[in-house]
């Protein structure tokens, strides 16, 4: 059992857990992920590591409540335990001094991009961070990102905070600016965002690393559920990734494969929501 | 012949039948298919044994169980003696009695089999094991502690056997398991209807009672490494039994379409994650109306039969050789046929077709004929040119085999591998190129059987014990 030491609500549907898992924390590096299972009947879901503290023996995960499992996860509180928690899985981000790099986080993707930006800066890079969300209330970790980056730009889709525009708009501005010449871009967020970033950076021949949050079961290369076509070859996001050269990823296939369980997921969520309402209507206060 | 020297006895030409769930009913549930013998049936079956002095059956058993001895005890209704006799050689009899390919092992050499059906050795073994599980297992004796520590990587049949043997010899054994429950392929691969998970967990608990520590959620190669276990962890020896955890693909177009599963994923979702209980269990699985399973081994049979139980209207085994070459266990083929699994022999897909949303709609297949025998001794399938045809399917399960999972081999220094990535180990000892590190089971041999993995686990345990007594690291 793995104890939740801290819970924070970062945005209305975005939660942060700091989880006690010393063995995972001992090995964790930027770019890797964990797989957790809430209880005995639960499914195994991968979450990218948002932070780790080797001294405290903790892993920080940030997740958005989308389906049944993440909603249920969100109902847990500080002091509660999670049945299974395994990692660190996947390959760590390759860190070296490239010179100037762009770190783009969209929505809940700001969380996993944070330790990567921090590691890149520590390696001597000038890190320009770009974070964005649909609206201001969904934006989080501006302060942490400001600290992890040399420079940070913020945008919102609806213009409710700082400025209006997609992360790609900001990205284009930076690339077009004189003397900016970034050597690498790291982009993490929803699939359409990563795809849009790749379409943009391809124009400038700017190498772009994306982190794919495929559907997984074991996370150790055994089941092949997370397979993705990269440069015409089948790769496993769990052991060959989760990071890949975004210009080589088949996003069409990736998007379709991510939606395989859309209808059972919907069913599970409806049942879960009905269950909660049921509890409220007859349980009383 | 041994039999002729014995006083004549009337021998039933056929095995005593074992009750099974009725095919029409069982193909829609996940309960165990084969229900086991009654006491009367097992005694009657034991009495069919000729008690041959040279015991040819034993040469077919990878762990050399004293088969005539335990069968004699069963005939005399000494069931406690019988299970004790089996367990001298086989620590997981409830599992072997269910999943061993007896027809190509012990029963293949049964003298009776020359004229009649062989003695149903597997069914008798299963009865003895089940009877003991039902009445409570007598704890096995362990030797005094040696103070030596052994790490076992993987809790499948090889690891469990190796762990049990070493614990009995007084060593401190820790098993590292990547998944959230121990058992390996016995849990994620072999279906509930063939091997109830309760049976596996009972065997795992017996192991814990021997003092073995099992750490789940621990991926060696990620959470820690073999090298670290030996340096920082203080383990005097390591056994690697990580199995065949890497799915092979056909390498044909359309394999990543939605609705194409590897058998590993299909079976893991169903067995380990209990997708058949969705939405009571959270893991979903998508099953179409017409399922094609590619391959002809036990994993393929398990997948095809699972597909029916998940609600498929039609389930097809698509195999490029003919029925005679099917590598699956005889009983599984028969059970699959009884349950209504269809077989497309001498057929193999060349392409998986999908719609614009990437969902599988059909396979383009080619017909084959059998040519000369190949390296495996089976007649080589040769494609018939121009025989392309379309097979409408909406789910495809690829069950053409598994290779070695590279996580442990890649992260262990000084470990020699084969070209395919299997660990090189001496078959007589299990020793690898790295001192103190032993390996066995599918990670060494490539995908094989539960009993062969157990045999390798046992062999390695003997060598590890000798190694620890000799120069156990201090």
């Amino acid at each position: 059992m793995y104890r939740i030491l801290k819970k924070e609500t970062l945005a209305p549907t975005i939660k942060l857990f700091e989880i006690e898992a010393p063995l995972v924390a001992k090995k964790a590096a930027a770019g890797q992920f964990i797989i957790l299972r809430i209880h005995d009947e639960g499914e195994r879901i991968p979450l990218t590591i948002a932070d780790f503290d080797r001294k405290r023996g903790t892993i920080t995960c940030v997740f958005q409540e989308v389906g049944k499992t993440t909603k249920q996860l969100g109902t847990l509180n500080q002091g509660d335990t999670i049945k299974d928690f395994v990692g660190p899985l996947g390959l760590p981000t390759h860190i070296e001094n490239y010179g100037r790099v762009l770190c783009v986080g969209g929505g809940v993707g700001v969380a996993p991009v944070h330790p990567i930006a921090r590691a890149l800066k520590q390696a001597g890079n000038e890190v320009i961070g770009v974070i964005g969300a649909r609206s201001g209330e969904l934006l989080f970790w501006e302060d942490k990102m400001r600290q992890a980056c040399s420079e940070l730009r913020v945008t919102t889709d609806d213009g409710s905070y700082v400025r209006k525009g997609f992360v790609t708009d900001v990205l284009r501005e930076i690339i077009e600016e004189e003397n900016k010449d970034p050597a690498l871009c790291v982009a993490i967020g929803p699939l359409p965002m990563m795809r849009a970033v790749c379409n943009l950076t391809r124009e400038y021949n700017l190498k772009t690393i994306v982190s794919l949050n495929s559907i997984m079961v074991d996370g150790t290369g055994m089941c092949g559920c997370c397979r993705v076509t990269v440069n015409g070859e089948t790769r496993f996001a769990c052991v060959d990734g989760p990071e890949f050269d975004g210009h080589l990823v088949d996003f069409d296939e990736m998007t379709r494969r991510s939606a395989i369980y859309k209808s059972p997921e919907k069913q599970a969520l409806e049942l879960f929501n009905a269950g909660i309402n049921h509890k409220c209507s007859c349980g009383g206060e | 012949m041994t039999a002729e020297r014995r006083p004549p006895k009337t021998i039933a030409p056929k095995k005593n039948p074992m009750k099974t769930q009725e095919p029409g009913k069982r193909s829609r549930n996940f309960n165990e298919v084969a229900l086991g013998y009654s006491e009367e049936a097992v005694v009657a079956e034991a009495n069919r044994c000729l008690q041959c002095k040279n015991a040819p059956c034993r040469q077919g058993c990878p762990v050399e169980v004293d088969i005539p001895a335990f069968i004699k005890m069963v005939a005399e209704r000494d069931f406690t003696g019988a299970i004790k006799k089996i367990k001298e050689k086989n620590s997981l009899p409830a599992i072997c009695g269910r999943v061993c390919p007896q027809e190509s092992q012990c029963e293949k050499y049964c003298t009776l089999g020359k004229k009649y059906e062989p003695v149903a050795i597997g069914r008798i073994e299963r009865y003895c094991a089940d009877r003991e599980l039902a009445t409570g297992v007598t704890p096995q004796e362990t030797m005094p502690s040696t103070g030596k520590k052994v790490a076992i990587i993987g809790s499948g049949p090889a690891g469990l056997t190796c762990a049990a043997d070493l614990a009995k010899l007084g060593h401190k054994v820790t098993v590292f398991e990547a998944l959230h429950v121990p058992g390996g392929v016995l849990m994620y691969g072999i279906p509930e209807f063939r091997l109830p998970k309760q049976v596996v967990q009972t065997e795992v608990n017996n192991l814990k009672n021997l003092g073995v520590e099992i750490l789940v959620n621990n991926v060696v190669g990620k959470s820690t490494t073999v090298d670290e276990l030996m340096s920082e962890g203080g383990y005097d020896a390591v056994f690697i039994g990580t199995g065949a955890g890497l799915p092979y693909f056909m390498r044909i177009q359309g394999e990543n379409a939605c609705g194409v599963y590897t058998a590993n994923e299909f079976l893991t979702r169903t067995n380990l994650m209990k997708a058949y209980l969705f939405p009571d269990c959270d893991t979903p699985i998508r099953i179409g109306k017409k399922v094609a399973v590619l391959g002809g081994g036990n994993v393929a049979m398990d997948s095809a039969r699972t597909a029916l139980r998940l609600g498929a209207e039609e389930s097809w085994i698509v195999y490029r050789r003919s029925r005679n070459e099917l590598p699956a266990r005889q009983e599984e083929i028969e059970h699959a046929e009884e349950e209504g699994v269809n077989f497309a022999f001498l057929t193999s897909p060349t392409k998986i077709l999908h719609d614009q949303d990437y969902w599988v709609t059909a396979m383009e297949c080619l017909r084959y004929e059998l040519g000369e025998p190949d390296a495996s001794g089976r007649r080589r399938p040769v494609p018939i040119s121009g025989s392309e045809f379309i097979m409408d399917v909406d789910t495809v399960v690829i069950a053409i085999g598994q290779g070695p999972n590279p996580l442990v081999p890649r992260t262990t220094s000084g470990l020699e591998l084969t070209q395919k990535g299997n660990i090189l180990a001496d078959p007589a000892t299990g020793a690898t190129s790295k001192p103190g590190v032993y390996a066995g089971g599918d990670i060494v041999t490539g995908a094989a059987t539960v009993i062969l993995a157990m045999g390798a686990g046992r062999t390695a345990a003997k060598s590890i014990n000798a190694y620890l007594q000799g120069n156990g690291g201090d």
Side-chain angles (χ1 to χ4, degrees):
Chain A
M1 299 290 249
Y2 302 80
R3 192 165 297 280
I4 299 165
L5 298 184
K6 189 169 89 180
K7 178 184 184 179
E8 261 180 57
T9 300
L10 300 179
T13 56
I14 300 176
K15 306 255 161 82
L16 172 150
F17 281 163
E18 188 180 359
I19 297 159
E20 188 174 42
L23 286 177
V24 185
K26 195 177 158 199
K27 284 294 179 72
Q32 291 186 294
F33 66 94
I34 59 91
I35 282 186
L36 64 78
R37 196 172 72 120
I38 305 175
H39 50 70
D40 270 329
E41 287 76 40
E43 60 180 333
R44 294 168 65 96
I45 59 158
L47 291 176
T48 315
I49 293 170
D51 208 345
F52 49 90
D53 187 329
R54 293 196 217 284
K55 271 201 206 125
R56 279 166 58 84
T58 61
I59 295 286
T60 300
C61 289
V62 173
F63 59 94
Q64 185 155 25
E65 296 171 355
V66 182
K68 187 219 164 164
T69 297
T70 43
K71 279 228 158 151
Q72 192 168 32
L73 194 61
T75 64
L76 299 183
N77 290 305
Q78 186 177 315
D80 290 344
T81 55
I82 291 169
K83 184 81 203 303
D84 298 297
F85 192 88
V86 58
L89 299 170
L91 301 174
T93 310
H94 176 76
I95 302 292
E96 66 168 73
N97 190 351
Y98 296 93
R100 183 179 289 126
V101 296
L102 303 178
C103 284
V104 188
V108 74
V110 171
V113 100
H114 162 259
I116 300 173
R118 185 176 60 191
L120 284 167
K121 193 178 163 198
Q122 273 166 7
N125 289 283
E126 182 195 339
V127 178
I128 304 177
V130 179
I131 59 172
R134 282 206 311 277
S135 66
E137 63 162 14
L138 292 169
L139 198 79
F140 63 94
W141 276 15
E142 187 185 344
D143 49 341
K144 279 186 84 141
M145 276 300 280
R146 207 169 286 286
Q147 219 170 5
C149 302
S150 319
E151 178 192 340
L152 183 73
R153 304 200 190 180
V154 180
T155 184
T156 49
D157 297 358
D158 64 358
S160 57
Y161 183 67
V162 182
R163 61 165 281 177
K164 183 177 162 68
F166 298 117
V167 289
T168 40
D169 297 329
V170 181
L171 206 54
R172 188 183 292 278
E173 288 164 18
I174 296 171
I175 298 170
E176 293 281 346
E177 274 170 39
E178 294 233 6
N179 305 322
K180 279 293 187 206
D181 260 348
L184 180 78
C185 175
V186 178
I188 307 181
L191 274 178
M193 180 217 104
M194 291 193 285
R195 184 178 203 161
V197 167
C198 289
N199 286 341
L200 171 73
T201 55
R202 197 179 280 115
E203 285 176 35
Y204 296 93
N205 205 16
L206 169 60
K207 185 171 174 169
T208 301
I209 301 296
V210 295
S211 178
L212 301 181
N213 191 6
S214 310
I215 303 174
M216 293 183 188
V217 186
D218 65 293
T220 64
M222 188 267 279
C223 83
C225 173
C226 65
R227 61 194 189 274
V228 52
T229 301
V230 181
N231 202 18
E233 278 182 34
T234 295
R235 309 291 298 275
F236 290 176
C238 69
V239 287
D240 302 321
E243 294 178 1
F244 293 102
D245 182 337
H247 293 169
L248 304 176
V249 168
D250 182 342
F251 278 103
D252 265 339
E253 180 189 280
M254 175 73 202
T255 306
R256 261 65 175 240
R257 286 193 64 83
S258 295
I260 289 177
Y261 296 105
K262 214 170 162 182
S263 82
E265 276 164 4
K266 194 171 158 231
Q267 185 196 353
L269 183 60
E270 282 167 3
L271 283 169
F272 181 71
N273 288 338
I276 283 186
N277 293 338
H278 176 77
K279 220 196 281 175
C280 291
S281 63
C282 65
E285 282 293 349
Chain B
M1 199 157 64
T2 326
E4 286 162 1
R5 276 185 257 118
R6 298 177 58 84
K9 77 177 183 184
T10 326
I11 291 168
K14 284 187 177 286
K15 289 178 180 178
N16 283 274
M18 175 168 55
K19 274 192 192 142
T20 54
Q21 266 198 83
E22 192 253 310
K25 199 173 145 197
R26 76 183 188 226
S27 65
R28 298 291 160 184
N29 70 48
F30 276 86
N31 300 334
E32 192 170 17
V33 167
L35 301 174
Y37 274 154
S38 64
E39 184 172 327
E40 289 323 302
V42 80
V43 170
E45 187 62 27
N47 273 313
R48 290 181 71 229
C49 175
L50 300 171
Q51 290 295 315
C52 309
K53 285 219 164 52
N54 57 348
C57 47
R58 288 191 73 176
Q59 73 184 61
C61 176
V63 295
E64 296 168 334
V65 170
D66 190 344
I67 295 164
F70 90 76
I71 291 187
K72 186 159 184 277
M73 291 174 178
V74 171
E76 292 161 355
R77 295 183 197 254
D78 174 12
F79 299 108
T80 318
I83 191 67
K84 222 174 143 190
K85 182 54 73 183
I86 295 170
K87 283 196 162 178
E88 281 175 12
K89 295 288 183 184
N90 180 346
S91 42
L92 306 170
I95 294 168
C96 289
R98 287 173 167 83
V99 304
C100 264
Q102 286 94 3
E103 73 272 14
S104 56
Q105 296 181 349
C106 51
E107 295 179 17
K108 180 179 172 184
Y109 298 95
C110 176
T111 308
L112 209 54
K114 289 179 182 158
K115 206 168 164 190
Y116 306 124
E117 281 187 5
V119 176
I121 300 168
R123 295 176 186 177
I124 302 176
E125 178 186 36
R126 170 182 165 169
Y127 178 86
C128 297
D130 283 359
R131 188 174 173 119
E132 190 202 30
L133 291 181
T135 52
V137 175
T138 29
Q140 288 174 282
E141 283 172 27
T142 55
M143 312 232 311
S145 169
T146 61
K148 303 287 186 193
K149 283 172 71 182
V150 184
I152 309 274
I153 321 298
S155 64
L160 291 180
T161 306
C162 192
D165 284 8
L166 288 168
K168 281 186 236 166
L169 291 164
H171 305 300
K172 175 84 191 93
V173 179
T174 308
V175 179
F176 294 81
E177 168 55 48
L179 291 169
H180 54 261
V181 287
V185 73
L186 306 170
M187 289 302 289
Y188 74 75
I190 303 176
E192 175 78 19
F193 58 81
R194 200 146 79 76
L195 178 63
K197 300 309 148 215
Q198 190 54 47
V199 172
V200 181
Q201 289 313 308
T202 307
E203 296 286 18
V204 168
N205 284 333
N206 292 339
L207 199 63
K208 288 182 185 162
N209 291 337
L210 286 173
V212 172
E213 180 188 24
I214 301 182
L215 302 178
V216 294
N217 294 325
N218 206 306
V219 186
V220 175
K222 285 290 171 190
S223 318
T224 184
T225 64
V226 170
D227 291 17
E228 284 170 355
L229 289 173
M230 298 186 85
S231 54
E232 298 160 34
Y235 288 94
D236 301 295
V238 175
F239 173 75
I240 304 171
T242 46
L246 179 76
Y248 284 150
F249 288 91
M250 301 281 292
R251 297 183 168 275
I252 56 174
Q253 206 180 313
E255 248 175 335
N256 293 349
C258 303
V260 181
Y261 287 95
T262 68
N264 277 358
E265 184 189 352
F266 191 70
L267 294 174
T268 301
R269 282 185 179 272
T270 314
N271 302 325
L272 180 74
M273 305 310 298
K274 307 235 174 298
Y276 61 92
L277 299 176
F278 181 88
D280 291 336
C281 285
D282 291 338
T283 304
I285 196 161
R286 292 290 300 249
I287 191 83
K289 290 196 168 92
K290 189 168 169 184
V291 179
V293 177
L294 315 180
N298 286 321
V299 174
M301 298 303 145
D302 286 344
S303 302
R305 297 170 70 195
T306 295
L308 286 178
R309 286 161 172 79
L310 289 171
E313 288 171 14
E314 277 181 54
S315 178
W316 286 80
I317 290 279
V318 177
Y319 182 56
R320 60 193 188 126
R321 304 183 201 240
S322 73
R323 193 183 194 286
N324 289 333
E325 287 79 29
L326 281 174
R329 196 171 172 255
Q330 191 57 38
E331 192 176 82
E332 309 315 325
I333 301 169
E334 285 164 12
H335 282 163
E337 284 173 331
E338 288 167 13
E339 288 165 16
V341 170
N342 302 295
F343 290 78
F345 292 116
L346 297 165
T347 303
S348 189
T350 48
K351 199 189 281 183
I352 297 168
L353 309 173
H354 56 73
D355 64 17
Q356 57 178 7
D357 290 325
Y358 282 54
W359 282 96
V360 174
T361 54
M363 297 194 302
E364 184 189 275
C365 299
L366 210 53
R367 295 200 198 279
Y368 282 68
E369 58 191 354
L370 292 179
E372 295 300 306
D374 64 10
S376 72
R378 296 177 300 172
R379 291 181 64 193
R380 186 192 303 276
V382 183
I384 303 171
S385 65
S387 66
E388 288 88 350
F389 69 101
I390 299 289
M391 184 174 181
D392 287 332
V393 293
D394 50 16
T395 306
V396 177
V397 180
I398 305 165
I400 56 166
Q402 302 93 240
N405 188 298
L407 278 185
V408 174
R410 263 191 214 158
T411 53
T412 308
S413 67
L415 203 58
E416 270 185 57
L417 308 178
T418 68
Q419 221 167 7
K420 282 186 175 169
N422 292 99
I423 297 175
L424 266 176
D426 181 345
T429 63
T432 69
S433 56
K434 189 178 171 78
V437 177
Y438 296 75
D442 285 2
I443 188 69
V444 172
T445 57
T449 60
V450 168
I451 187 72
L452 281 173
M454 288 176 48
R458 162 143 298 180
T459 301
K462 269 187 216 155
S463 314
I464 291 171
N465 186 48
Y467 171 80
L468 293 176
Q469 283 177 341
N471 62 344
D474 46 24

